[in-house]
Amino acid sequence: MNRRNILKWTLGGLALLGSGTTYSSMTNPYYSGPVSDHFDGTRFFVPNQPPLNSISSLLSWQFGNDPKATWPALAQSPYNDEPPQRFTGLRSTLIGHASFLVQVNGLNILIDPLYSERASPVSFAGPKRVNPPGIAFEKLPPIDVVLITHGHYDHFDLTTIGRLHQKYKPRIICPLGNDAVMASTIGGRENATALDWRQSADVGQGVKVHLVPSFHWSARGLTDRKKTLWASFVITAPNTTLYHIGDTGYGDGRFSRDVATQFGRVDLVHIPIGAYEPRWFMKEQHVNPAEAVQIFQDCKAIRAIGHHWGTFQLTNEAIEQPQSDLSVALANANISANVFEAFKPGQSFSL
């Protein structure tokens, strides 16, 4: 492995590294609040979640014998969306990786927007985009709301947040502590709404955003593991419910089952299907396609969009492997491929 690939994989690995006690400070610069069933006074946690990966396991992955597929430098999607300025029903477009434009009941909502060339703490190295955004930044409609699921660089891009704030000044909704991360970018914490799990925000037009738990974690560096909260989102509007999952392990499946119990019918769910190999390293933080199909069944959704694949190489699998593995998992579960598609950037679905 040459030096360039070592740096790429190391930065990518740091973006996926789990919590350990030996390299994480005992103070929290982002959030101070009461102890709860998922916050110990310093760090957030998922009850009963197994320990995540250590530095030694990261090194074993990065420099071990697990085969790492080679991705092409460019794998451009055949789709290129130019969305309407407003949409009265529900319209969801994959911009790329985990970034979506959701247009619902006349509102325009961006989820985990990332327009930078790299998903990395630095601009010169780290996982590089191989698929251009499916909606050009200049083609975005007026953005009313931005949702951030968690602090990892492939979901929380401060450069894009700054561009959006400068152009649209949207309302930003994020899990606890992430408002502090972006405070200097958006001119203060008061310009973002930070919520806990199971809290909600009314964003107008009859649309509400609800934060729900996921089996994951957060970090921006090596000393802030689990210092900010992570979440999935449920967006409800009259006669419409969308469930967006950013990153998650499957765990015991209770979080998705809870969504079905609390919200009833889920019209559309966004489920990650990529960045899952090797399983011994990724299982507790990213589902594979078979587990994604189980989530689809657990939340009793009518239709699903598979995302988090084919744009940034974060893990070992080949670029098209999530799509082919999803096809196998759907066939094994006797589910039509038409109701759960692996979307490419620029591909959209509307009700």
Side-chain angles (χ1 to χ4, degrees):
M1 184 180 291
N2 61 37
R3 290 182 180 180
R4 180 182 296 273
N5 283 334
I6 289 174
L7 180 60
K8 180 188 80 170
W9 280 97
T10 300
L11 286 168
L14 290 175
L16 296 166
L17 181 64
S19 177
T21 57
T22 59
Y23 56 92
S24 188
S25 66
M26 297 304 294
T27 60
N28 189 330
Y30 305 121
Y31 175 74
S32 176
V35 172
S36 73
D37 66 352
H38 57 278
F39 182 65
D40 66 8
T42 303
R43 297 182 186 85
F44 296 94
F45 61 94
V46 177
N48 302 317
Q49 185 181 35
L52 298 177
N53 298 301
S54 65
I55 287 181
S56 62
S57 62
L58 169 69
L59 295 175
S60 295
W61 169 38
Q62 296 296 287
F63 301 106
N65 295 321
D66 293 296
K68 297 178 177 68
T70 299
W71 281 31
L74 180 65
Q76 187 156 347
S77 168
Y79 304 97
N80 185 28
D81 189 42
E82 294 192 16
Q85 292 293 289
R86 301 286 175 183
F87 193 80
T88 56
L90 172 65
R91 189 176 193 270
S92 180
T93 304
L94 179 63
I95 296 172
H97 193 56
S99 302
F100 280 86
L101 171 66
V102 174
Q103 298 180 278
V104 56
N105 220 36
L107 284 181
N108 295 323
I109 302 172
L110 280 180
I111 305 177
D112 287 352
L114 198 171
Y115 275 84
S116 294
E117 282 300 299
R118 295 186 186 272
S120 171
V122 296
S123 61
F124 57 86
K128 188 175 183 181
R129 183 185 293 274
V130 303
N131 212 324
I135 304 174
F137 190 88
E138 296 74 21
K139 298 292 185 179
L140 287 171
I143 301 302
D144 305 300
V145 180
V146 172
L147 307 181
I148 302 296
T149 61
H150 66 291
H152 288 152
Y153 287 91
D154 60 319
H155 294 258
F156 190 5
D157 179 30
L158 288 178
T159 299
T160 299
I161 294 293
R163 294 176 69 186
L164 292 166
H165 177 73
Q166 184 176 30
K167 187 170 183 179
Y168 302 112
K169 299 218 167 15
R171 183 174 181 183
I172 301 174
I173 298 174
C174 59
L176 295 174
N178 290 282
D179 54 334
V181 176
M182 71 179 94
S184 61
T185 301
I186 61 174
R189 296 176 71 165
E190 65 275 8
N191 291 320
T193 301
L195 299 175
D196 201 352
W197 287 349
R198 304 180 183 90
Q199 291 184 330
S200 303
D202 188 328
V203 294
Q205 302 291 100
V207 179
K208 292 184 178 181
V209 172
H210 313 266
L211 269 74
V212 295
S214 63
F215 282 92
H216 202 55
W217 57 283
S218 65
R220 301 290 286 180
L222 286 176
T223 62
D224 63 349
R225 295 295 183 267
K226 300 187 178 182
K227 299 291 182 68
T228 60
L229 186 60
W230 52 95
S232 295
F233 291 103
V234 175
I235 300 172
T236 57
N239 303 314
T240 302
T241 299
L242 183 150
Y243 178 23
H244 174 88
I245 304 169
D247 277 350
T248 193
Y250 183 75
D252 60 8
R254 69 182 184 271
F255 291 156
S256 294
R257 292 194 297 270
D258 287 347
V259 165
T261 299
Q262 180 179 354
F263 295 97
R265 186 186 75 180
V266 174
D267 296 288
L268 179 65
V269 57
H270 301 157
I271 308 178
I273 62 168
Y276 54 89
E277 292 289 353
R279 292 311 287 152
W280 67 265
F281 189 88
M282 300 307 306
K283 182 175 177 57
E284 302 304 333
Q285 51 196 316
H286 288 169
V287 294
N288 63 15
E291 292 165 325
V293 169
Q294 186 61 57
I295 288 174
F296 176 61
Q297 295 174 306
D298 289 344
C299 70
K300 296 179 168 52
I302 296 173
R303 188 179 174 100
I305 292 173
H307 67 97
H308 203 265
W309 71 286
T311 296
F312 296 102
Q313 186 176 16
L314 301 175
T315 50
N316 291 17
E317 70 269 11
I319 189 169
E320 298 289 345
Q321 185 177 336
Q323 188 174 35
S324 59
D325 285 355
L326 177 62
S327 296
V328 172
L330 290 169
N332 289 341
N334 294 315
I335 296 173
S336 170
N338 293 328
V339 301
F340 189 165
E341 293 185 70
F343 266 30
K344 294 186 176 182
Q347 199 168 353
S348 66
F349 168 77
S350 60
L351 289 174

